[in-house]
Amino acid sequence: NKQKGYPESRKFIKSKCSLCGWEGSCDSHRIQQGMNGGKYTTGNVIVVCPNCHRLIHTKLHLFNLTK
């Protein structure tokens, strides 16, 4: 179920959420959004669980995600 244009490493990283500490299958979230030129690079990505990732995208104003 790979989406076109997204690298394999974008989803399902076995790691720990940078925000809540949950351990399991996490996502890569770009700090600078793709529509603003943000790339999936080490300096522009944080690892987040699916719940925190959803919160970031729906309540972005509550998070201070800066490089």
Side-chain angles (χ1 to χ4, degrees):
N1 193 14
K2 182 180 174 188
Q3 294 178 357
K4 185 178 177 183
Y6 291 100
E8 287 290 331
S9 61
R10 180 178 171 263
K11 288 276 193 186
F12 310 117
I13 298 169
K14 297 291 185 194
S15 191
K16 189 176 197 179
C17 178
S18 300
L19 299 177
C20 74
W22 183 80
E23 294 185 35
S25 295
C26 292
D27 300 334
S28 298
H29 172 75
R30 290 178 287 189
I31 297 167
Q32 181 182 8
Q33 297 177 352
M35 65 183 179
N36 295 327
K39 306 245 186 263
Y40 285 101
T41 59
T42 304
N44 191 49
V45 170
I46 61 169
V47 175
V48 291
C49 70
N51 290 330
C52 287
H53 201 183
R54 188 170 16 319
L55 284 173
I56 289 170
H57 284 282
T58 58
K59 308 282 186 194
L60 189 59
H61 64 282
L62 298 177
F63 294 89
N64 182 18
L65 302 178
T66 57
K67 288 186 183 184

